[in-house]
Amino acid sequence: MTDTILDVQDLRKYFPVKKGFFRRHVGDVKAVDGVSFTVDRGETLGLVGESGCGKTTTGRSVLRAIEPTSGSIRFFENGKDPVDVTQLTKAGMRHLRQKMQMIFQDPYASLNPRMTVEEIVKEPLFCFGVGTARERRERVGELLQVVGLDPKYMSRYPHTFSGGQRQRIGIARALALHPDLIVADEAVSALDVSVQAQVLNLILELQNQFHLTYIFIAHDIGVVDHICDRVAVMYIGKMVEVAGTKSLFRSPKHPYTEALLSAVPRPNPHYELKRMVLEGEVVDPAHRPSGCAFHPRCRYADGLCAAETPAMETVPQEDSRGSHAVACHHFKELQLKGVFR
Ligand code: SF4
């Protein structure tokens, strides 16, 4: 039996567009437009897509770091009835914030340069009144050890650390209150490739050690390969494909996923590398194309694609249990290229 920790239904986040002297409401940027998904306890769900597809807005809406326009976000705290995050009062949100934390993209910008590492990591403990001053200091030492940093450097400032070390400090801060769910927003994007691997390994180790659940947001689909159990691909505010990582990489069913996968470097030199270059920019979410939003850039598009929005259909995964969901009129006829894993 699966144990769901998060159930998001029909989540929308619209940003109003206002114009003129009287700031008339003339439209909406539909950053997230009817997204539904669930996350099981202990699972890592990857959210991928180009910049502007709505993945970060989805992650922030789940934590209510920004207010969703509509939809439900049910969080199942261990052994308790679910709470709808969108309906919680300030006091309710305060309790929940201990259970849901975030790792930020930019380790240079997300740490206050005027605070020491000790102050940064113990800030959540202080805000929630956890422990005495001495206990908090001891907890900071423990957390730094857990993320692979020497506690003797806790009195240093962030600028004395490398990018990878700073991200470890950010991870220590996220772990301080024993969260159940962590939204990692482009957690390794700003790091060098070799450091990326170390931080990804740390994220995996911590998941095993503390039974964490992750929503892992990345624009680079190659990064989610080793860390995610399932991957959801987003395009202009909607999910277009959701499947187990292996199934999605081996046999993608949406042309957008195929194009993203074609950019993943392959370790096999005999494998023919043919990158599909997507023509044009990601469409402005304020002016979504008719029908399938991907049709202006899709090599398989026809008249039906421009006229009708494809519904999400679910089929069994080919090589493992679970389901593979895709929103494409022609997924049954297309033979798309994946990445052999
Ligand atoms: Fe391409 Fe048409 Fe499928 Fe959209 S519905 S992804 S345009 S084939």
Side-chain angles (χ1 to χ4, degrees):
M1 203 177 86
T2 55
D3 180 10
T4 303
I5 188 168
L6 190 74
D7 181 3
V8 177
Q9 292 300 322
D10 205 21
L11 179 68
R12 288 166 205 269
K13 176 62 189 174
Y14 295 173
F15 294 97
V17 180
K18 296 187 177 173
K19 269 195 181 157
F21 185 74
F22 293 107
R23 311 296 297 150
R24 258 187 331 115
H25 179 209
V26 292
D28 291 298
V29 173
K30 297 179 178 175
V32 178
D33 193 16
V35 161
S36 301
F37 61 95
T38 58
V39 187
D40 290 338
R41 205 173 292 279
E43 182 186 41
T44 302
L45 174 72
L47 283 186
V48 298
E50 290 163 288
S51 299
C53 70
K55 53 192 188 307
T56 293
T57 309
T58 301
R60 290 183 180 219
S61 299
V62 163
L63 300 183
R64 252 178 87 188
I66 51 175
E67 281 299 322
T69 305
S70 66
S72 77
I73 302 164
R74 293 196 307 153
F75 180 75
F76 297 73
E77 201 177 331
N78 225 346
K80 293 191 185 166
D81 288 336
V83 286
D84 190 339
V85 177
T86 61
Q87 305 298 321
L88 284 178
T89 57
K90 240 183 171 179
M93 261 331 285
R94 187 174 154 78
H95 167 73
L96 207 68
R97 293 227 183 278
Q98 300 178 56
K99 299 285 150 199
M100 300 162 92
Q101 288 286 319
M102 188 153 193
I103 300 171
F104 296 93
Q105 172 177 8
D106 187 348
Y108 294 89
S110 63
L111 306 180
N112 188 336
R114 291 165 193 263
M115 290 167 81
T116 63
V117 171
E118 181 186 349
E119 288 166 339
I120 289 169
V121 177
K122 82 177 173 193
E123 194 179 23
L125 302 170
F126 186 75
C127 290
F128 283 89
V130 178
T132 60
R134 191 170 151 203
E135 284 164 349
R136 287 198 283 265
R137 191 176 158 82
E138 281 169 7
R139 175 86 178 125
V140 172
E142 265 171 45
L143 286 163
L144 292 179
Q145 262 173 343
V146 160
V147 298
L149 292 173
D150 193 331
K152 74 179 180 202
Y153 299 130
M154 70 166 79
S155 54
R156 290 192 180 178
Y157 287 87
H159 72 268
T160 59
F161 293 88
S162 68
Q165 288 171 324
R166 287 182 206 207
Q167 196 54 297
R168 286 171 190 265
I169 296 167
I171 293 170
R173 178 177 57 186
L175 291 175
L177 294 167
H178 304 285
D180 292 329
L181 174 74
I182 293 184
V183 175
D185 183 9
E186 303 273 14
V188 295
S189 306
L191 306 175
D192 293 342
V193 175
S194 59
V195 183
Q196 273 188 5
Q198 292 168 14
V199 174
L200 286 173
N201 285 338
L202 172 66
I203 287 173
L204 277 173
E205 281 166 30
L206 295 174
Q207 182 170 41
N208 292 331
Q209 202 174 339
F210 300 112
H211 313 292
L212 297 169
T213 305
Y214 293 123
I215 295 179
F216 192 87
I217 298 169
H219 67 271
D220 178 359
I221 198 168
V223 170
V224 302
D225 186 2
H226 295 293
I227 195 164
C228 294
D229 301 296
R230 283 187 305 136
V231 179
V233 181
M234 289 189 71
Y235 189 74
I236 321 181
K238 287 186 186 289
M239 281 186 179
V240 294
E241 186 164 10
V242 186
T245 308
K246 194 171 164 191
S247 184
L248 187 116
F249 272 67
R250 281 200 171 184
S251 45
K253 299 196 183 305
H254 197 283
Y256 179 56
T257 312
E258 182 191 41
L260 292 180
L261 287 174
S262 77
V264 175
R266 291 145 172 102
N268 183 350
H270 303 298
Y271 195 94
E272 189 195 353
L273 183 68
K274 205 169 177 194
R275 185 169 181 167
M276 293 174 196
V277 180
L278 284 174
E279 301 290 336
E281 296 284 310
V282 180
V283 181
D284 175 3
H287 303 98
R288 206 183 155 82
S290 62
C292 172
F294 187 55
H295 85 261
R297 304 171 79 192
C298 180
R299 53 168 61 195
Y300 311 104
D302 62 9
L304 175 66
C305 303
E308 276 182 37
T309 306
M312 195 67 130
E313 285 188 56
T314 304
V315 291
Q317 282 182 168
E318 282 161 24
D319 48 6
S320 56
R321 281 168 49 206
S323 57
H324 194 137
V326 59
C328 170
H329 290 303
H330 301 298
F331 80 91
K332 285 180 185 146
E333 305 119 60
L334 297 176
Q335 292 293 321
L336 304 182
K337 258 197 170 176
V339 179
F340 184 76
R341 297 170 76 238

